[in-house]
Amino acid sequence: MTDATTVTRSGSYAVQDAGVPTAPSGAVGTPVPRRRPTDWRKGAEIAFFVTPALVLIAMFIVWPITRAVQFSLYKWKGYGPLVDFVGLGNYVSVLRNDLFIQALTHNLVIVVASIAIQLPLGLAIALLLNRKMRFQGTLRMVIFVPYVLSEVIAGVVWLQLLQPRYGVIDAVLGLVGLSGPEQGFLGTPRYALATVIVVLTWKYVGLAILLLLAGLQGVPEELEEAAQIDGATWWQIQRHITIPLLGPTMRTWAFLSMIGSLQLFDMVWILTKGGPANSTVTMATFLINEGTKRSNYGIAGAASVILFVVAVVMAVAYQYFILRRDNTSDEVGPRRRKREVRSR
Protein backbone atom coordinates (compact mmCIF):
# COMPACT_ATOMS: atom_id res chain seq x y z
CA MET A 1 0.00 0.00 0.00
CA THR A 2 1.14 3.51 -0.74
CA ASP A 3 -1.24 5.20 1.70
CA ALA A 4 -1.30 5.02 5.50
CA THR A 5 -4.55 5.31 7.40
CA THR A 6 -4.63 6.96 10.83
CA VAL A 7 -7.43 7.44 13.33
CA THR A 8 -7.96 10.91 14.74
CA ARG A 9 -9.19 11.63 18.26
CA SER A 10 -12.72 12.18 17.03
CA GLY A 11 -12.77 8.62 15.63
CA SER A 12 -12.67 9.58 11.94
CA TYR A 13 -10.12 8.20 9.50
CA ALA A 14 -7.45 10.26 7.71
CA VAL A 15 -5.36 9.09 4.77
CA GLN A 16 -1.80 10.31 4.47
CA ASP A 17 1.03 9.58 2.06
CA ALA A 18 3.52 7.13 3.47
CA GLY A 19 6.47 9.38 2.61
CA VAL A 20 5.08 12.43 4.41
CA PRO A 21 5.85 12.61 8.14
CA THR A 22 2.84 12.60 10.43
CA ALA A 23 2.17 15.29 12.96
CA PRO A 24 3.69 14.77 16.42
CA SER A 25 1.67 13.02 19.10
CA GLY A 26 -0.82 15.25 20.83
CA ALA A 27 -1.21 17.44 17.73
CA VAL A 28 -2.82 15.02 15.29
CA GLY A 29 -4.28 16.76 12.30
CA THR A 30 -2.20 19.98 12.80
CA PRO A 31 0.43 20.84 10.19
CA VAL A 32 4.03 21.02 11.35
CA PRO A 33 5.13 24.69 11.29
CA ARG A 34 8.04 25.28 8.99
CA ARG A 35 10.51 28.10 9.29
CA ARG A 36 9.86 30.65 6.63
CA PRO A 37 12.68 32.08 4.53
CA THR A 38 11.94 35.52 5.99
CA ASP A 39 13.05 34.28 9.43
CA TRP A 40 16.50 33.48 8.07
CA ARG A 41 16.60 36.85 6.39
CA LYS A 42 15.78 38.62 9.65
CA GLY A 43 18.47 36.64 11.45
CA ALA A 44 21.00 37.59 8.78
CA GLU A 45 20.05 41.26 9.06
CA ILE A 46 20.40 41.19 12.84
CA ALA A 47 23.80 39.50 12.58
CA PHE A 48 24.90 42.02 9.94
CA PHE A 49 24.16 45.02 12.16
CA VAL A 50 25.18 43.51 15.51
CA THR A 51 28.47 41.91 14.47
CA PRO A 52 30.42 45.19 13.98
CA ALA A 53 29.34 46.38 17.44
CA LEU A 54 30.37 43.07 19.00
CA VAL A 55 33.74 43.24 17.25
CA LEU A 56 34.35 46.77 18.57
CA ILE A 57 33.32 45.74 22.09
CA ALA A 58 35.67 42.77 21.93
CA MET A 59 38.56 44.90 20.64
CA PHE A 60 38.23 47.94 22.90
CA ILE A 61 36.59 46.52 26.06
CA VAL A 62 36.94 42.76 26.45
CA TRP A 63 40.52 42.48 25.15
CA PRO A 64 41.95 45.42 27.19
CA ILE A 65 40.28 44.11 30.36
CA THR A 66 41.69 40.65 29.70
CA ARG A 67 45.19 42.04 29.16
CA ALA A 68 44.94 44.22 32.28
CA VAL A 69 44.03 41.16 34.35
CA GLN A 70 46.96 39.28 32.81
CA PHE A 71 49.44 42.11 33.53
CA SER A 72 48.17 42.41 37.10
CA LEU A 73 49.37 38.87 37.86
CA TYR A 74 53.01 39.60 36.92
CA LYS A 75 55.75 41.92 38.01
CA TRP A 76 56.37 43.58 34.66
CA LYS A 77 58.21 46.76 33.68
CA GLY A 78 56.62 47.14 30.24
CA TYR A 79 59.17 45.26 28.16
CA GLY A 80 60.18 41.64 27.73
CA PRO A 81 58.04 38.54 28.29
CA LEU A 82 55.76 38.01 31.26
CA VAL A 83 57.83 35.65 33.40
CA ASP A 84 57.83 37.00 36.97
CA PHE A 85 54.48 35.66 38.16
CA VAL A 86 53.36 37.14 41.50
CA GLY A 87 49.69 36.08 41.53
CA LEU A 88 47.60 38.36 43.74
CA GLY A 89 50.66 40.09 45.15
CA ASN A 90 50.07 43.24 43.09
CA TYR A 91 46.50 43.49 44.39
CA VAL A 92 47.73 43.21 47.97
CA SER A 93 50.32 45.92 47.32
CA VAL A 94 47.71 48.26 45.83
CA LEU A 95 45.19 47.75 48.63
CA ARG A 96 47.91 48.35 51.22
CA ASN A 97 49.12 51.49 49.46
CA ASP A 98 48.07 54.59 51.40
CA LEU A 99 48.16 56.66 48.22
CA PHE A 100 45.64 54.40 46.50
CA ILE A 101 43.34 54.52 49.53
CA GLN A 102 43.64 58.31 49.43
CA ALA A 103 42.82 58.27 45.71
CA LEU A 104 39.76 56.08 46.33
CA THR A 105 38.63 58.48 49.06
CA HIS A 106 38.97 61.45 46.71
CA ASN A 107 36.86 59.67 44.08
CA LEU A 108 34.12 59.01 46.62
CA VAL A 109 34.26 62.64 47.79
CA ILE A 110 33.89 63.81 44.20
CA VAL A 111 30.94 61.43 43.68
CA VAL A 112 29.10 62.80 46.71
CA ALA A 113 30.00 66.43 46.03
CA SER A 114 29.00 66.24 42.36
CA ILE A 115 25.55 64.87 43.17
CA ALA A 116 25.02 67.12 46.20
CA ILE A 117 25.98 70.30 44.32
CA GLN A 118 25.01 69.71 40.71
CA LEU A 119 21.60 68.17 41.35
CA PRO A 120 19.99 71.06 43.29
CA LEU A 121 21.80 73.64 41.16
CA GLY A 122 20.77 71.98 37.91
CA LEU A 123 17.20 71.52 39.14
CA ALA A 124 16.90 75.18 40.12
CA ILE A 125 18.25 76.40 36.78
CA ALA A 126 16.09 73.93 34.83
CA LEU A 127 12.93 75.09 36.63
CA LEU A 128 13.90 78.69 35.90
CA LEU A 129 14.63 78.07 32.23
CA ASN A 130 11.41 76.10 31.84
CA ARG A 131 9.39 79.28 32.45
CA LYS A 132 8.61 81.61 29.59
CA MET A 133 11.11 84.45 29.42
CA ARG A 134 13.04 86.54 26.95
CA PHE A 135 16.24 85.07 25.48
CA GLN A 136 15.30 81.65 26.81
CA GLY A 137 17.02 79.80 23.95
CA THR A 138 20.18 81.91 24.31
CA LEU A 139 20.39 81.23 28.04
CA ARG A 140 20.00 77.49 27.47
CA MET A 141 22.79 77.52 24.91
CA VAL A 142 25.15 79.52 27.14
CA ILE A 143 24.60 77.19 30.08
CA PHE A 144 25.08 74.05 27.98
CA VAL A 145 28.23 75.26 26.16
CA PRO A 146 30.70 74.17 28.93
CA TYR A 147 29.48 70.59 28.69
CA VAL A 148 30.12 70.31 24.95
CA LEU A 149 33.65 71.69 25.32
CA SER A 150 36.35 69.06 25.46
CA GLU A 151 37.94 68.41 28.83
CA VAL A 152 41.33 69.48 27.51
CA ILE A 153 40.10 72.90 26.39
CA ALA A 154 38.11 73.46 29.58
CA GLY A 155 41.04 72.37 31.74
CA VAL A 156 43.53 74.64 29.99
CA VAL A 157 41.14 77.61 30.23
CA TRP A 158 40.65 77.14 33.96
CA LEU A 159 44.36 76.55 34.47
CA GLN A 160 45.01 80.01 33.03
CA LEU A 161 42.17 81.61 34.98
CA LEU A 162 43.50 80.20 38.26
CA GLN A 163 47.12 81.24 37.80
CA PRO A 164 48.40 82.84 41.04
CA ARG A 165 48.75 86.65 40.95
CA TYR A 166 48.35 86.85 37.16
CA GLY A 167 45.15 84.93 36.63
CA VAL A 168 41.71 86.46 36.13
CA ILE A 169 40.38 84.97 39.38
CA ASP A 170 43.06 86.63 41.51
CA ALA A 171 42.59 89.87 39.59
CA VAL A 172 38.85 89.90 40.32
CA LEU A 173 39.50 89.11 43.98
CA GLY A 174 41.97 91.98 44.10
CA LEU A 175 39.31 94.41 42.83
CA VAL A 176 37.13 93.67 45.87
CA GLY A 177 40.00 93.80 48.34
CA LEU A 178 40.61 90.06 48.62
CA SER A 179 43.54 87.88 47.66
CA GLY A 180 43.93 84.25 46.80
CA PRO A 181 46.44 81.79 48.27
CA GLU A 182 50.10 82.53 47.64
CA GLN A 183 50.53 79.37 45.55
CA GLY A 184 47.14 79.71 43.88
CA PHE A 185 44.00 77.71 44.46
CA LEU A 186 45.33 74.73 42.53
CA GLY A 187 48.77 74.88 44.17
CA THR A 188 47.53 74.84 47.77
CA PRO A 189 46.63 71.40 49.16
CA ARG A 190 43.91 72.90 51.33
CA TYR A 191 41.97 74.33 48.39
CA ALA A 192 43.02 72.15 45.45
CA LEU A 193 40.33 69.45 45.69
CA ALA A 194 37.56 71.98 46.34
CA THR A 195 38.73 74.00 43.33
CA VAL A 196 38.66 70.89 41.13
CA ILE A 197 35.09 70.20 42.29
CA VAL A 198 34.08 73.76 41.36
CA VAL A 199 35.54 73.32 37.88
CA LEU A 200 33.78 69.97 37.49
CA THR A 201 30.49 71.58 38.54
CA TRP A 202 30.91 74.30 35.91
CA LYS A 203 31.79 71.70 33.30
CA TYR A 204 29.09 69.08 33.88
CA VAL A 205 26.10 70.85 35.40
CA GLY A 206 24.91 71.52 31.85
CA LEU A 207 24.16 67.81 31.38
CA ALA A 208 21.96 67.80 34.48
CA ILE A 209 20.12 70.89 33.23
CA LEU A 210 19.60 69.37 29.78
CA LEU A 211 18.21 66.10 31.14
CA LEU A 212 15.98 67.86 33.66
CA LEU A 213 14.63 70.21 30.99
CA ALA A 214 13.80 67.18 28.88
CA GLY A 215 12.07 65.60 31.86
CA LEU A 216 10.05 68.77 32.49
CA GLN A 217 8.56 68.46 29.02
CA GLY A 218 6.92 65.22 30.14
CA VAL A 219 5.17 66.74 33.16
CA PRO A 220 1.44 67.03 32.29
CA GLU A 221 0.25 70.62 32.25
CA GLU A 222 -3.19 69.47 33.43
CA LEU A 223 -1.80 68.58 36.84
CA GLU A 224 -0.28 72.02 37.30
CA GLU A 225 -3.44 73.75 36.11
CA ALA A 226 -5.57 71.68 38.50
CA ALA A 227 -3.24 72.56 41.38
CA GLN A 228 -3.43 76.27 40.48
CA ILE A 229 -7.22 76.09 40.51
CA ASP A 230 -7.04 74.53 43.98
CA GLY A 231 -4.98 77.51 45.14
CA ALA A 232 -1.50 75.95 45.21
CA THR A 233 1.46 78.31 44.95
CA TRP A 234 4.23 77.92 42.39
CA TRP A 235 6.58 76.39 44.97
CA GLN A 236 3.91 73.95 46.18
CA ILE A 237 3.33 72.82 42.59
CA GLN A 238 7.04 72.23 42.04
CA ARG A 239 7.48 70.46 45.37
CA HIS A 240 4.47 68.14 45.24
CA ILE A 241 4.00 67.60 41.49
CA THR A 242 6.95 68.56 39.30
CA ILE A 243 9.90 67.35 41.36
CA PRO A 244 8.38 63.92 42.22
CA LEU A 245 7.63 63.36 38.52
CA LEU A 246 11.28 64.18 37.75
CA GLY A 247 12.45 61.36 40.02
CA PRO A 248 13.39 58.89 37.24
CA THR A 249 15.31 61.59 35.36
CA MET A 250 17.22 62.67 38.46
CA ARG A 251 18.11 59.11 39.38
CA THR A 252 19.36 58.39 35.86
CA TRP A 253 21.52 61.53 35.88
CA ALA A 254 22.91 60.66 39.32
CA PHE A 255 23.94 57.25 37.97
CA LEU A 256 25.82 58.84 35.06
CA SER A 257 27.45 61.35 37.40
CA MET A 258 28.57 58.60 39.78
CA ILE A 259 30.20 56.51 37.04
CA GLY A 260 31.90 59.57 35.54
CA SER A 261 33.26 60.65 38.94
CA LEU A 262 34.75 57.22 39.59
CA GLN A 263 36.57 57.29 36.25
CA LEU A 264 37.67 60.93 36.52
CA PHE A 265 41.09 61.49 34.97
CA ASP A 266 41.46 64.09 32.22
CA MET A 267 40.31 67.21 34.09
CA VAL A 268 42.38 66.39 37.19
CA TRP A 269 45.42 65.50 35.08
CA ILE A 270 45.32 68.81 33.23
CA LEU A 271 44.69 70.95 36.31
CA THR A 272 46.92 69.37 38.96
CA LYS A 273 48.24 65.96 37.78
CA GLY A 274 47.08 64.67 41.16
CA GLY A 275 48.99 67.28 43.21
CA PRO A 276 49.91 69.26 45.11
CA ALA A 277 51.12 66.72 47.67
CA ASN A 278 48.65 64.15 46.23
CA SER A 279 45.72 66.25 47.44
CA THR A 280 43.75 65.65 44.22
CA VAL A 281 44.98 62.20 43.21
CA THR A 282 42.30 59.85 41.87
CA MET A 283 42.37 56.14 41.08
CA ALA A 284 42.87 56.91 37.38
CA THR A 285 45.81 59.27 37.97
CA PHE A 286 47.31 56.76 40.42
CA LEU A 287 47.40 53.94 37.87
CA ILE A 288 48.72 56.26 35.14
CA ASN A 289 51.56 57.42 37.40
CA GLU A 290 52.42 53.85 38.37
CA GLY A 291 52.33 52.64 34.78
CA THR A 292 53.89 55.42 32.70
CA LYS A 293 56.19 57.15 35.20
CA ARG A 294 57.33 54.33 37.46
CA SER A 295 56.98 51.51 34.90
CA ASN A 296 55.12 49.35 37.42
CA TYR A 297 52.69 47.94 34.88
CA GLY A 298 51.75 45.06 37.12
CA ILE A 299 50.70 47.48 39.88
CA ALA A 300 48.93 49.67 37.34
CA GLY A 301 47.09 46.65 35.94
CA ALA A 302 45.96 45.64 39.42
CA ALA A 303 44.80 49.19 40.15
CA SER A 304 42.84 49.30 36.89
CA VAL A 305 41.12 46.00 37.69
CA ILE A 306 40.23 47.26 41.17
CA LEU A 307 38.84 50.47 39.66
CA PHE A 308 36.76 48.39 37.24
CA VAL A 309 35.43 46.19 40.06
CA VAL A 310 34.57 49.21 42.23
CA ALA A 311 32.69 50.85 39.35
CA VAL A 312 30.80 47.65 38.51
CA VAL A 313 29.85 46.98 42.15
CA MET A 314 28.61 50.53 42.68
CA ALA A 315 26.73 50.47 39.38
CA VAL A 316 25.03 47.15 40.19
CA ALA A 317 24.18 48.31 43.72
CA TYR A 318 22.74 51.57 42.40
CA GLN A 319 20.76 49.68 39.79
CA TYR A 320 19.36 47.24 42.35
CA PHE A 321 18.51 49.63 45.18
CA ILE A 322 17.67 52.90 43.37
CA LEU A 323 16.99 52.47 39.65
CA ARG A 324 15.02 49.30 40.30
CA ARG A 325 11.94 51.28 41.34
CA ASP A 326 11.74 52.86 37.87
CA ASN A 327 11.50 49.47 36.15
CA THR A 328 7.97 48.41 36.99
CA SER A 329 8.08 45.38 34.71
CA ASP A 330 10.98 43.91 36.65
CA GLU A 331 9.65 44.88 40.06
CA VAL A 332 5.93 44.18 39.83
CA GLY A 333 5.45 41.71 36.98
CA PRO A 334 7.57 38.71 38.08
CA ARG A 335 6.50 39.03 41.71
CA ARG A 336 2.86 39.10 40.76
CA ARG A 337 3.27 36.11 38.45
CA LYS A 338 5.07 34.16 41.16
CA ARG A 339 2.26 34.83 43.61
CA GLU A 340 -0.30 33.74 41.02
CA VAL A 341 1.59 30.50 40.36
CA ARG A 342 1.87 29.77 44.07
CA SER A 343 -1.85 30.44 44.59
CA ARG A 344 -2.68 27.90 41.89
Side-chain angles (χ1 to χ4, degrees), residues 45-87:
E45 292 176 355
I46 293 174
F48 177 78
F49 288 106
V50 171
T51 301
L54 294 178
V55 170
L56 292 177
I57 291 174
M59 290 176 57
F60 296 104
I61 297 180
V62 178
W63 177 246
I65 292 175
T66 304
R67 293 291 287 176
V69 173
Q70 182 183 11
F71 292 153
S72 68
L73 301 177
Y74 291 85
K75 186 178 180 181
W76 190 52
K77 291 295 183 180
Y79 53 87
L82 299 174
V83 292
D84 194 357
F85 182 79
V86 295

Side-chain angles (χ1 to χ4, degrees), residues 22 26 37 43 56 77 85 91 121 125 139 143 153-154 160 189 194 208 213 239 241 281 294 299 305 341:
T22 59
L56 292 177
K77 291 295 183 180
F85 182 79
Y91 293 93
L121 180 61
I125 296 176
L139 290 174
I143 291 175
I153 295 176
Q160 299 301 319
L213 280 174
R239 179 183 177 184
I241 297 177
V281 64
R294 300 181 181 179
I299 297 292
V305 173
V341 170

Side-chain angles (χ1 to χ4, degrees), residues 243-261:
I243 295 179
L245 291 176
L246 286 177
T249 303
M250 291 188 289
R251 287 187 286 270
T252 301
W253 170 83
F255 176 78
L256 298 176
S257 178
M258 178 187 69
I259 298 301
S261 298

Side-chain angles (χ1 to χ4, degrees), residues 203-284:
K203 178 72 173 66
Y204 295 108
V205 73
L207 177 61
I209 296 172
L210 178 67
L211 293 178
L212 292 172
L213 280 174
L216 286 172
Q217 308 309 311
V219 177
E221 297 181 359
E222 295 80 5
L223 296 178
E224 298 181 358
E225 294 173 356
Q228 290 176 355
I229 294 174
D230 291 339
T233 62
W234 180 85
W235 169 244
Q236 290 175 333
I237 294 174
Q238 307 309 315
R239 179 183 177 184
H240 298 287
I241 297 177
T242 306
I243 295 179
L245 291 176
L246 286 177
T249 303
M250 291 188 289
R251 287 187 286 270
T252 301
W253 170 83
F255 176 78
L256 298 176
S257 178
M258 178 187 69
I259 298 301
S261 298
L262 289 175
Q263 300 174 350
L264 182 63
F265 167 73
D266 37 22
M267 189 66 72
V268 173
W269 188 259
I270 294 169
L271 292 175
T272 62
K273 288 183 171 59
N278 299 319
S279 59
T280 60
V281 64
T282 64
M283 289 186 286

Side-chain angles (χ1 to χ4, degrees), residues 9-207:
R9 291 183 177 179
S10 59
S12 59
Y13 291 89
V15 179
Q16 193 174 28
D17 291 340
V20 180
T22 59
S25 59
V28 180
T30 359
V32 179
R34 295 181 179 179
R35 192 164 186 177
R36 295 175 297 177
T38 54
D39 295 337
W40 295 100
R41 186 178 303 171
K42 290 180 181 179
E45 292 176 355
I46 293 174
F48 177 78
F49 288 106
V50 171
T51 301
L54 294 178
V55 170
L56 292 177
I57 291 174
M59 290 176 57
F60 296 104
I61 297 180
V62 178
W63 177 246
I65 292 175
T66 304
R67 293 291 287 176
V69 173
Q70 182 183 11
F71 292 153
S72 68
L73 301 177
Y74 291 85
K75 186 178 180 181
W76 190 52
K77 291 295 183 180
Y79 53 87
L82 299 174
V83 292
D84 194 357
F85 182 79
V86 295
L88 299 179
N90 288 329
Y91 293 93
V92 175
S93 299
V94 171
L95 294 176
R96 289 181 177 178
N97 193 320
D98 294 335
L99 182 58
F100 181 80
I101 301 302
Q102 186 179 4
L104 175 61
T105 304
H106 289 162
N107 277 112
L108 297 179
V109 169
I110 293 173
V111 169
V112 175
S114 297
I115 296 176
I117 297 175
Q118 295 181 34
L119 182 58
L121 180 61
L123 180 60
I125 296 176
L127 291 175
L128 179 64
L129 292 179
N130 194 50
R131 307 181 68 179
K132 294 181 179 180
M133 62 177 67
R134 297 183 61 184
F135 308 110
Q136 186 181 49
T138 304
L139 290 174
R140 291 183 179 184
M141 181 187 67
V142 170
I143 291 175
F144 190 65
V145 160
Y147 177 73
V148 299
L149 289 177
S150 70
E151 280 74 7
V152 175
I153 295 176
V156 171
V157 169
W158 275 98
L159 189 62
Q160 299 301 319
L161 292 176
L162 293 168
Q163 287 292 323
R165 296 188 300 275
Y166 303 106
V168 175
I169 303 298
D170 277 8
V172 172
L173 291 176
L175 293 177
V176 295
L178 301 175
S179 60
E182 184 68 22
Q183 300 298 324
F185 288 98
L186 293 175
T188 306
R190 182 180 179 182
Y191 302 108
L193 184 60
T195 305
V196 170
I197 292 175
V198 170
V199 176
L200 292 175
T201 301
W202 172 86
K203 178 72 173 66
Y204 295 108
V205 73
L207 177 61

